[in-house]
Amino acid sequence: MSEGTLGVLLLGFAGLGPDQDHQQDMYLPAFGTHDGFEVVAAAGTPGDAADQAAAERLAGKLGLPAPAADLDAALADPAVDVVSVCAPPERRVDAVIAALRAGKHVLVDKPLALTAADAARVAAVAAESGTVCLPAHHQRFHPMIAAARGAVAGGKVGLPWNVQADFLVAGGTPSPAGELANFAVYPVDVVLALTGLRVRRVYARLSTYWTDGGADDFALLFLTHENGLTSTISIGRTRELADTRPAGLAVHRYRVSGSHGVLDIDASRPAVVLRRAEASSQTWHGAGTVDRLLDELHAAVSAGRPSSPSAADAVHIAEIVDAARTSGVSGHPVDLRSDQEGSR
Amino acid sequence: MARHSVIDGTAPLGVVIVGAGFIADHHGAALRASSRARLAGIVDVDAGRASAAATAAGGVPWTTDLAAALARPDVGAAIVCTPNVTHEPIALQIAAAGKHLLMEKPLTITAPSARAVVDAFDAAGTVVMAAHTHRFYDYARAVDDAIAGGAVGRPVFARLALLGGWIWPDWRAWVLDPAKSGGHALHNGVHLLDLVSWWLRDEPVSVYARGRAQTAAELRIHDYLEMHVEYARGADAVCEMSRGHRPSTLDRRDVLIAGTEGVLQLPADGWGSTVVTESGTSLLHPQAANGFAVQLDAWLDAIADPRAERAMTPADAVRAVALGVATELSIERGEPVTLDEVMEGVRR
């Protein structure tokens, strides 16, 4: 392993849905092509036999050492600098905390935790350990969004006072935890990254329109931020559409209105648009959002600084999601406590 | 040899315009283009304004006395473009005179008064229609036709944004006085609230709205409105109405409808051709039907056959007022407001 290359332990092979494995579908390919990382080990989530079997299969396939007997042993490996955690959601927080306590840097699949209280536990340990704990809110690294963050921060539209966002996925397997839990972190993180303004008040509507099950597949969040900025975010999973790959984004956009201008961000662009007899599709060259997320992970580890986004950012998003759930049930807006540190 | 365009022998309906402000010009132009109706006169409380408008319209009669205008046998109907707070008494006077009415939106600025106006026209046996002109624009009809044809299945989420900058006069503009306009939700918000309710084919249950005095902190109306409407069968609409955006040249219309079977969009950047010139980039809007003329025809159709299905019913107009009132109330409270509360004791 060359100088500056970070050894990666892949821990856990799940997502938020029954057929999801974000580790192998998203993070492993990105680690594999990134110069700054080398996958050195795999381990299953403790107490999850299927997950451990997946780790063994992957280790065999990649020619990695056989997975360690238990998590402590896996985390004791000095070749491991970074732990990529895709443990099932109910075991995720414990896995992240164990990795942080072992002095490792952590990349955590989203959502970092299912509740704000659990996210806060992780953030507290991360603050104590001084290692990087990066929640995988990778949409903020989208080239359109990253450029827009710079433009807004630079005053291009003056003082922003409203953001409208749509994050609508088409097709794929519905998340049993609901799409609020599954997807909200992405657009909420983008809105927070664009504006730098924490949320004070949440009104939400949760509905089930496309699936038969009980879990929500559509959420509307009406957020009131510091400095009076308001944002409205639609989040959902519609039925499949011919021009969108399964579980791809059918609509992904943000409009930032400011005192001196308007910025429209269409995250379905830039794209080469292909139109064919069966359907049309879009492609683009260049680093993907997960690749750019790993750039941030590497930069934060190398510089010895907290990552952006940080675990604290994930806590605030989890608070918003918790409040949305409460509001969705009560039908009334929910005020958030304002004694948290800033989300920047 | 003289040629005649009117061949069915029916005399065109004589229509007076009441209130000679800027929107009256649009109605006047529609009347001039119509073979079924003619501008019979101008009524305005300001004699100078009334006479100037009458002269500009080719020398039609003018008066400051509405009762006198309504007493003319050649006047069968009125188009009213006065400040919103005057809509109720003027409408009741027109109903009592047995004439038909096309009322600029909103029909009135309270739900009970809107209902009272509709009842008065029912009793008189004449037609009242509120001028929710957007229903008659090509874009709105294209969206409605697609939904009617089942393009998206059952529509469950609608987004409609009409965003622009400051277009009103100075502080003296009556629109800026909530006592006269009812607030921006009643003045312009009703356009969007009516449109999405029409598109979604569902009855609104409650409204959660947020408003902003964007252009100046001292504004007593919200030049930016965001209105969420929840519907009875389970659907959501998010409407944004702005006259507070900058640059003031912004002219934005955005439609997104998600349904059980598909997604329909009228993208904001698809609304016209892009013109890049030395002075900047602008949009050249496509040619479109004159919504005021299409609306006038719909009103004349209703007058010709009051039993036929109407493009915009009196109940639609009452509902739009109720949604506007609920919006203003929700902004004031910071809480959702139910239509039941606003409509308390009022028939829908």
Side-chain angles (χ1 to χ4, degrees), chain A residues 33-331:
Chain A
T33 56
H34 199 290
D35 289 341
F37 297 95
E38 184 180 333
V39 174
V40 296
T45 308
D48 187 324
D51 206 60
Q52 289 182 322
E56 276 167 30
R57 277 197 303 276
L58 183 67
K61 191 168 117 191
L62 298 181
L64 300 174
D70 58 41
L71 183 57
D72 287 344
L75 292 173
D77 183 349
V80 172
D81 303 295
V82 170
V83 183
S84 173
V85 179
C86 291
E90 66 279 9
R91 299 177 192 274
R92 185 169 295 171
V93 167
D94 289 340
V96 172
I97 287 174
L100 290 169
R101 290 224 162 106
K104 307 296 186 187
H105 305 287
V106 179
L107 169 70
V108 201
D109 189 30
K110 61 82 204 167
L112 180 142
L114 292 175
T115 65
D118 274 352
R121 280 172 56 210
V122 173
V125 176
E128 206 175 286
S129 73
T131 51
V132 171
C133 179
L134 173 62
H137 304 162
H138 59 90
Q139 293 294 348
R140 66 157 67 186
F141 298 104
H142 186 285
M144 287 294 212
I145 294 165
R149 286 167 57 199
V152 173
K156 198 87 175 166
V157 296
L159 296 170
W161 52 266
N162 177 261
V163 182
Q164 297 286 326
D166 294 300
F167 191 96
L168 301 177
V169 168
T173 308
S175 171
E179 303 305 349
L180 173 74
N182 192 27
F183 289 141
V185 291
Y186 287 138
V188 171
D189 179 67
V190 170
V191 171
L192 293 172
L194 279 168
T195 63
L197 297 172
R198 289 175 67 82
V199 171
R200 293 278 172 79
R201 191 162 224 243
V202 178
Y203 177 71
R205 283 266 301 154
L206 300 180
S207 312
T208 307
Y209 290 139
W210 289 277
T211 44
D212 295 330
D216 59 88
D217 61 12
F218 184 73
L220 273 173
L221 306 185
F222 300 87
L223 310 179
T224 305
H225 300 245
E226 296 167 325
N227 294 334
L229 179 133
T230 52
S231 67
T232 299
I233 305 171
S234 77
I235 297 146
R237 187 194 293 272
T238 72
R239 58 160 296 158
E240 67 280 6
L241 300 172
D243 66 352
T244 308
R245 68 173 173 79
L249 279 154
V251 185
H252 186 199
R253 61 179 186 170
Y254 304 81
R255 185 204 323 122
V256 183
S257 295
S259 59
H260 291 73
V262 178
L263 173 60
D264 284 299
I265 307 159
D266 183 349
S268 67
R269 299 170 182 172
V272 174
V273 179
L274 306 172
R275 304 171 72 194
R276 292 167 53 85
E278 56 273 31
S280 56
S281 65
Q282 305 192 343
T283 62
W284 191 242
H285 186 72
T289 55
V290 178
D291 302 317
R292 293 165 189 263
L293 176 77
L294 295 192
D295 288 343
E296 168 61 15
L297 176 61
H298 196 274
V301 170
S302 304
R305 62 161 171 84
S307 61
S308 181
S310 66
D313 293 326
V315 175
H316 188 46
I317 293 170
E319 287 170 346
I320 294 164
V321 171
D322 279 0
R325 215 175 288 291
T326 305
S327 174
V329 172
S330 74

Side-chain angles (χ1 to χ4, degrees), chain B residues 305-318:
Chain B
D305 181 3
R307 283 174 307 276
E309 191 180 334
R310 296 192 192 179
M312 172 85 205
T313 69
D316 293 339
V318 175

Side-chain angles (χ1 to χ4, degrees), chain A residues 164 223 232 239 257 332, chain B residues 159 210 226 236 245 261 335:
Chain A
Q164 297 286 326
L223 310 179
T232 299
R239 58 160 296 158
S257 295
H332 295 283
Chain B
R159 248 191 195 287
R210 296 183 291 183
E226 185 195 67
D236 295 283
H245 268 75
E261 301 299 322
E335 289 277 345

Side-chain angles (χ1 to χ4, degrees), chain A residues 228 230, chain B residues 209-214 221-226 327 330-331:
Chain A
T230 52
Chain B
R210 296 183 291 183
R212 219 184 143 77
Q214 176 58 30
I221 63 161
H222 304 98
D223 52 352
Y224 173 78
L225 293 169
E226 185 195 67
T327 296
S330 175
I331 294 171

Side-chain angles (χ1 to χ4, degrees), chain B residues 5 43 83 92 112 129 161 212 246 276 322:
Chain B
S5 60
V43 183
L92 294 175
M129 184 168 122
R212 219 184 143 77
R246 289 185 70 186
V276 185

